[in-house]
Amino acid sequence: MRDTPLIVAADDSPDNLEILRWHLEKHRYQVATAVDGDQAVAMVAELRPDLVFLDIMMPKLDGIDAVRRIKSDDSL
């Protein structure tokens, strides 16, 4: 069990990720960031976060398909 909730945030815009990270960490959340859907899915499988924020339009794997992969993984 974590002391503070962990959030995975995925966005292909570094500026958006930095702003989101800043706001969340200000409220004492742990934040792991990903630059595309593939990386986000891998992070979710490895880190098992409490919450996931996904941009819809990202390279390689968009946010909608990333959610589908996460939901279809029975081990999560």
Side-chain angles (χ1 to χ4, degrees):
M1 183 106 192
R2 289 185 257 279
D3 291 336
T4 57
L6 173 62
I7 298 171
V8 168
D11 196 320
D12 57 323
S13 167
D15 291 339
N16 289 348
L17 280 178
E18 190 55 37
I19 291 166
L20 184 59
R21 175 194 291 277
W22 183 82
H23 282 286
L24 292 170
E25 287 179 347
K26 184 171 77 169
H27 293 284
R28 301 186 183 197
Y29 292 101
Q30 295 177 35
V31 181
T33 59
V35 296
D36 61 48
D38 282 335
Q39 192 178 38
V41 171
M43 283 183 158
V44 168
E46 178 185 343
L47 302 174
R48 305 211 181 246
D50 300 292
L51 182 67
V52 180
F53 286 124
L54 295 168
D55 183 17
I56 296 297
M57 296 175 62
M58 292 185 288
K60 296 185 184 178
L61 184 68
D62 66 35
I64 293 170
D65 288 333
V67 168
R68 287 183 181 131
R69 283 194 190 172
I70 292 166
K71 286 180 68 172
S72 71
D73 188 342
D74 293 333
S75 68
L76 298 175

